[in-house]
Amino acid sequence: MSILGIIFSYSERENLRELTRMRTIGSLPMAGKFRIIDFPLSNFVNDGIYDVAVIARENYHSLMDHLGSGKEWDLMRKRGGLRVLTPYGKSESGRNGLYRGSIEALSNNMHSFRRSLADTVILVETSILHSMDFNYLAETHIESNADITAVYTRQLNGYPTVPMGVAILRFNEENRLYDLSINKDDMSCQDVCWSTGVYVINKSLLESLVADAMAYGKYDFNEDIVHRLAGNLNIQGYEYKGHLLEVSSVAGYMKANMNFLNPVFREKAFQKPIYTKSKDSVPARYFTGCQVKNSIISDGCRIEGTVENSIISRNVIIGKDAVVKNSIIMQNTEIMRGVHLNHVILDKDVIVRENRQLSGHVTYPVVVEKASII
Amino acid sequence: MSYGQKTEMVAMLLAGGQGSRLGILTKDVAKPAVPFGGKYRIIDFPLSNCINSGIDTIGVLTQYRPLELNAYIGSGQPWDLDRLYGGVFILPPYMDGKGGEWYKGTANAIYQNMNFIDLYDPEYVLILSGDHIYKMNYDLMLDYHKEKNADCTIAVIQVPWEEAGRFGVMTAASDGRILQFEEKPKEPKSNLASMGVYIFNWQKLREYLNKDEEDETSDNDFGKNVIPGMLHSGENLFAYEFKGYWKDVGTIQSLWEANMDTLDPNVPLELNDPPWRIYSRSSNMPPQYIGENASISNSSIADGCKIEGTIENSILFPGVTVEKGARVSNSILMHKVVVEEGACIGYTIVAPSAEIGRSAKIGASEGDMSGKVHDEITVVGEFVKVGEGVTVPAGVSVGEDIFGEEAGR
């Protein structure tokens, strides 16, 4: 068995406001120095899977810039390696390359998957982060004789409800999927199996299912393959019991980042290395008078002020007497002296001038768009 | 054999020395692989200087304990030195039909690799050493070399008179022409010290290397033999004065000082310099975590560190753990060092992966001294475990695990 990993670098159900206006969710910074896509990519590489395709849809400039040739993830290879698949205009669709759904995204890139020597495909989405043993998952898939293995979880990890827009899966006593519904309202669903967006499927089966669906004008993998064909296909469930982070909303994104302040979680998340683009920044520099507590700080930072319960990306400058609490600060941002920030997400390249104050709430953080000057 | 494509200047980096004055720090690694400045190794400086100066063909001559250095350099990718044509090459001594031998001296190391240089058919050869911390544009030096129509240009720097005797010292005329060159003189006549950075016209150097090899009494050394020989024969040798930060980190004391210089805003060694970045191989560690109880001042901390203790005037390399109640001041903790609860470390260099047990006391405490003048640096060797409550006095090198009350030798 050899495996091809396919990562959707975008999410159809995310609502990240300003954070994804200029970028796709895969290139959103995470846990200080990383981008979200680093997690699934590293997961594949750590499990010895060196054949990975990343499907991009729109706003993928920053994603391409981040991924480059894939060498930082050890994915610059002749056999397999990283393939970034960007949309191209297809005349008959008349839609200038914007996929109408995940099936069309797969269909338009099938020529690339066909070239891969792998026989098994693992589909992954980027709005849910986890660290899964993909080899064990694929073995389970083969042993169970399933057509498709759908990975679900029951846990909420402290989120009040099942995230909006995810698929809720129902299995019979033989662990075979018989129903799928999309979580459309905010009700508190307890003890349901919800999809992590990870599916395992034989590559040639994927190819024929996608071709069929396209022929009937069906475009959504969850709805039009998993749900519609549940009666005909043997779709088996696989429960993921490890920790996971859901980042499709701003509050979820904030919470996901804050999770990295928990030592137990951090230990697990970084048990195997997470690779990312190297920036060759200098180590972080702490000046006399700085006060840093319970925070993640990345290289290249220069800190003179106070930082508490926050996640700070690379090359951030925090001036004297500035106070940053419960916030996420992305790279190359400068916070000048005397600034107070609480529950704020500052995107890249932001400048906050002297003595400004910004404060959000844990349920609704203030988001400041890339390159703003306040 | 030649590639038929001309490279203007090839750099040859002498990285074979043990650096025995660094004691247990170079027990298992060559000096150029010694960690420096929070995430770098000494060799990152000449390699980055080369690539930043537009030199992309570099031979690294290794001899002493090359394993870690070879692994570190790898394909050269972190320095942008993975090239289709050129790039970085590790050049150890090798055998040929007539036998083969170790590098007898710096000049002999180049002599044995003349074929490598000829592959690129260069006009000039830049000789570097892997012992110094400095940021220098070799391209400007090459301009000077051409302008002076020199056969050899030696980079020089003014050093304090009392230290001049440790270096190759030269007297130069006002136009830069070198009149006299003395290697480590007892009574130096000048304080212009050689930085160990030379540019030669390759054909000229080739000629002198052949001559030097024939001379059986020669030490096959640039400073002792080749350069005095060229001077004696009336070749055009010029001194190129470098004005900037340059430090030989050949001793424990100077290594500690140079590290501390990176924390001092008054010292002209700014590592945070995007147009002149110092590149290094990434540690692939998560960002650092600073805990509830941490207190940090005037320090540099790298990726992967976990800090719960107190850090002052110190440099922490990737992956260091400092537990609650531990106190680290004026010290350098290299990769993956662990400092357990309540331990106290002052004026110490701790080599990679060493473990300092609970409540151990290492080196001088800050009450003993103030400022940076301090000549009793304590060293803890790689992988060494210092047991709970052990006291290691200032100025001691600990090369083996110690437990109980006595201090190591």
Side-chain angles (χ1 to χ4, degrees):
Chain A
M1 171 187 56
S2 66
I3 299 167
L4 164 69
I6 298 179
I7 302 172
F8 289 93
S9 70
Y10 60 95
S11 170
E12 286 170 354
R13 58 182 179 83
E14 55 101 338
N15 178 16
L16 286 163
R17 296 167 24 203
E18 296 87 343
L19 295 174
T20 47
R21 189 166 291 162
M22 302 292 279
R23 60 164 81 84
T24 180
I25 187 169
S27 59
L28 191 60
M30 187 75 195
K33 68 186 273 200
F34 302 106
R35 305 285 183 130
I36 280 178
I37 194 131
D38 294 336
F39 290 83
L41 276 180
S42 303
N43 200 160
F44 278 120
V45 169
N46 286 331
D47 287 348
I49 299 163
Y50 288 93
D51 192 358
V52 183
V54 173
I55 300 181
R57 187 180 62 175
E58 55 195 329
N59 292 349
Y60 46 78
H61 179 113
S62 65
L63 182 77
M64 304 288 283
D65 180 51
H66 181 67
L67 294 176
S69 64
K71 67 183 171 193
E72 325 257 13
W73 297 265
D74 208 10
L75 284 170
M76 191 169 78
R77 322 213 137 245
K78 291 189 175 177
R79 293 172 68 89
L82 175 71
R83 274 169 287 175
V84 184
L85 305 168
T86 55
Y88 52 91
K90 218 181 167 195
S91 50
E92 66 261 40
S93 77
R95 294 171 64 94
N96 290 327
L98 267 196
Y99 307 130
R100 278 166 287 190
S102 42
I103 290 179
E104 192 172 30
L106 291 167
S107 167
N108 281 11
N109 295 300
M110 198 52 80
H111 59 96
S112 173
F113 308 144
R114 221 174 274 138
R115 230 174 31 222
S116 160
L117 300 170
D119 47 29
T120 305
V121 170
I122 297 181
L123 297 170
V124 175
E125 66 160 281
T126 33
S127 53
I128 298 174
L129 298 180
H130 43 73
S131 61
M132 230 176 258
D133 183 338
F134 286 140
N135 290 312
Y136 182 71
L137 170 63
E139 279 163 29
T140 310
H141 168 77
I142 304 275
E143 276 166 25
S144 70
N145 264 323
D147 295 310
I148 299 176
T149 296
V151 183
Y152 65 89
T153 179
R154 287 171 189 275
Q155 46 181 328
L156 295 173
N157 283 324
Y159 296 97
T161 60
V162 170
M164 290 277 277
V166 299
I168 293 170
L169 311 176
R170 287 180 189 84
F171 299 94
N172 67 15
E173 54 287 351
E174 271 135 30
N175 200 26
R176 183 172 161 184
L177 185 137
Y178 69 90
D179 191 28
L180 176 151
S181 58
I182 302 296
N183 184 30
K184 286 207 172 97
D185 59 50
D186 237 343
M187 61 160 186
S188 167
C189 294
Q190 296 293 329
D191 201 33
V192 294
C193 304
W194 55 282
S195 168
T196 60
V198 177
Y199 291 101
V200 192
I201 182 171
N202 177 284
K203 195 175 75 181
S204 47
L205 177 63
L206 177 71
E207 199 177 331
S208 64
L209 291 177
V210 164
D212 282 355
M214 285 300 287
Y216 286 99
K218 307 281 190 193
Y219 302 116
D220 184 64
F221 189 85
N222 275 330
E223 192 54 51
D224 300 320
I225 291 182
V226 179
H227 189 201
R228 197 167 64 91
L229 301 178
N232 309 330
L233 295 172
N234 178 11
I235 303 176
Q236 289 284 317
Y238 173 102
E239 185 174 0
Y240 172 68
K241 290 183 176 150
H243 209 95
L244 95 180
L245 303 172
E246 209 280 336
V247 290
S248 65
S249 65
V250 174
Y253 172 73
M254 190 82 174
K255 199 166 156 35
N257 270 284
M258 294 306 167
N259 251 290
F260 286 91
L261 296 177
N262 175 335
V264 181
F265 176 75
R266 214 171 43 242
E267 201 68 37
K268 279 191 187 145
F270 297 128
Q271 208 165 32
K272 291 181 180 168
I274 305 296
Y275 301 98
T276 191
K277 184 177 176 181
S278 153
K279 294 269 183 186
D280 293 289
S281 316
V282 293
R285 186 77 167 81
Y286 296 82
F287 293 90
T288 305
C290 76
Q291 273 186 33
V292 183
K293 288 202 182 333
N294 190 37
S295 294
I296 281 188
I297 312 285
S298 309
D299 47 4
C301 287
R302 302 173 70 77
I303 300 176
E304 292 187 74
T306 298
V307 182
E308 278 176 34
N309 310 324
S310 294
I311 311 284
I312 315 290
S313 290
R314 289 159 162 168
N315 300 324
V316 169
I317 300 173
I318 298 178
K320 235 183 177 146
D321 303 321
V323 179
V324 177
K325 287 184 179 172
N326 310 306
S327 296
I328 298 172
I329 313 294
M330 297 188 199
Q331 63 187 42
N332 299 328
T333 282
E334 183 172 358
I335 295 164
M336 295 188 174
R337 63 164 60 209
V339 167
H340 276 65
L341 304 176
N342 193 9
H343 294 294
V344 171
I345 299 176
L346 297 187
D347 208 321
K348 278 176 69 174
D349 303 322
V350 167
I351 296 173
V352 186
R353 290 198 191 283
E354 280 100 338
N355 302 321
R356 303 291 195 266
Q357 304 204 354
L358 286 173
S359 187
H361 185 260
V362 69
T363 56
Y364 202 90
V366 174
V367 179
V368 177
E369 214 173 333
K370 188 171 164 181
S372 309
I373 298 174
I374 293 172
Chain B
M1 188 189 135
S2 147
Y3 286 126
Q5 195 176 338
K6 232 173 141 50
T7 301
E8 188 179 32
M9 183 153 78
V10 168
M12 298 295 274
L13 206 167
L14 299 160
Q18 176 183 1
S20 51
R21 287 174 303 153
L22 286 174
I24 54 176
L25 291 176
T26 51
K27 197 175 74 154
D28 295 317
V29 296
K31 181 173 163 188
V34 168
F36 179 84
K39 70 179 272 195
Y40 308 97
R41 291 176 188 256
I42 296 171
I43 197 168
D44 289 332
F45 287 80
L47 286 179
S48 301
N49 284 340
C50 279
I51 198 73
N52 289 335
S53 305
I55 298 163
D56 59 12
T57 307
I58 304 170
V60 178
L61 300 127
T62 60
Q63 179 154 289
Y64 174 81
R65 293 245 175 221
L67 179 64
E68 196 160 328
L69 196 56
N70 293 355
Y72 185 68
I73 291 174
S75 67
Q77 182 262 318
W79 303 269
D80 231 357
L81 287 168
D82 50 336
R83 297 293 172 122
L84 281 181
Y85 181 77
V88 63
F89 298 84
I90 303 277
L91 303 171
Y94 58 91
M95 305 287 288
D96 65 12
K98 287 171 282 179
E101 55 188 345
W102 295 107
Y103 295 149
K104 291 180 283 182
T106 51
N108 177 256
I110 306 298
Y111 172 84
Q112 290 200 37
N113 287 289
M114 288 201 297
N115 291 344
F116 168 78
I117 300 173
D118 283 337
L119 281 181
Y120 295 94
D121 190 17
E123 204 66 40
Y124 309 100
V125 171
L126 171 68
I127 309 287
L128 301 169
S129 68
D131 302 353
H132 306 121
I133 301 300
Y134 64 115
K135 296 194 299 183
M136 178 177 182
N137 190 338
Y138 305 130
D139 199 37
L140 297 178
M141 180 172 167
L142 180 61
D143 288 346
Y144 176 90
H145 179 83
K146 291 179 193 165
E147 182 194 307
K148 294 291 180 184
N149 217 355
D151 296 306
C152 167
T153 299
I154 301 175
V156 296
I157 189 161
Q158 291 204 18
V159 294
W161 277 95
E162 61 272 18
E163 284 179 29
R166 288 173 40 211
F167 300 98
V169 172
M170 58 211 80
T171 39
S174 57
D175 68 342
R177 182 178 289 277
I178 297 172
L179 305 171
Q180 209 182 1
F181 181 97
E182 287 177 295
E183 185 69 12
K184 297 184 182 148
K186 289 216 174 65
E187 285 168 31
K189 297 190 187 79
S190 152
N191 67 339
L192 279 184
S194 163
M195 295 164 62
V197 175
Y198 314 114
I199 292 177
F200 289 97
N201 290 355
W202 172 228
Q203 289 313 325
K204 191 65 88 180
L205 176 62
R206 223 172 178 289
E207 190 185 304
Y208 278 88
L209 287 178
N210 281 324
K211 250 190 236 170
D212 178 63
E213 193 59 21
E214 282 163 21
D215 178 2
E216 285 183 4
T217 62
S218 170
D219 290 326
N220 307 112
D221 185 88
F222 276 105
K224 282 186 213 151
N225 312 103
V226 176
I227 289 166
M230 288 179 79
L231 204 56
H232 190 73
S233 309
E235 305 287 358
N236 292 318
L237 277 75
F238 281 83
Y240 172 75
E241 192 172 343
F242 174 70
K243 292 204 168 89
Y245 183 92
W246 178 83
K247 192 150 187 137
D248 180 83
V249 286
T251 62
I252 299 281
Q253 178 70 22
S254 62
L255 180 67
W256 180 83
E257 277 172 11
N259 270 286
M260 290 302 150
D261 283 345
T262 65
L263 293 180
D264 186 346
N266 301 318
V267 171
L269 174 66
E270 180 54 84
L271 298 179
N272 189 11
D273 182 5
W276 204 272
R277 262 185 222 287
I278 304 302
Y279 299 98
S280 66
R281 189 170 282 281
S282 163
S283 59
N284 282 321
M285 286 199 194
Q288 57 205 275
Y289 172 74
I290 312 298
E292 287 289 346
N293 307 300
S295 162
I296 306 172
S297 69
N298 191 38
S299 294
S300 154
I301 301 183
D303 279 351
C305 288
K306 276 180 257 176
I307 312 297
E308 290 282 357
T310 301
I311 315 288
E312 279 174 355
N313 309 322
S314 294
I315 294 172
L316 275 58
F317 281 71
V320 169
T321 304
V322 179
E323 293 182 1
K324 219 157 86 181
R327 206 178 168 78
V328 177
S329 58
N330 306 294
S331 294
I332 298 154
L333 309 186
M334 294 177 181
H335 307 80
K336 298 185 180 167
V337 164
V338 177
V339 182
E340 291 181 6
E341 253 182 82
C344 193
I345 300 178
Y347 294 93
T348 298
I349 299 177
V350 185
S353 304
E355 288 174 30
I356 311 299
R358 278 165 172 259
S359 310
K361 295 220 168 342
I362 316 280
S365 67
E366 64 247 68
D368 301 354
M369 40 226 89
S370 56
K372 52 181 279 185
V373 186
H374 182 65
D375 53 10
E376 291 218 297
I377 302 300
T378 311
V379 183
V380 179
E382 198 171 0
F383 294 109
V384 166
K385 288 191 174 65
V386 176
E388 191 176 332
V390 170
T391 301
V392 177
V396 169
S397 275
V398 185
E400 280 166 20
D401 295 1
I402 47 169
F403 301 97
E405 295 302 309
E406 36 107 43
R409 297 285 130 233

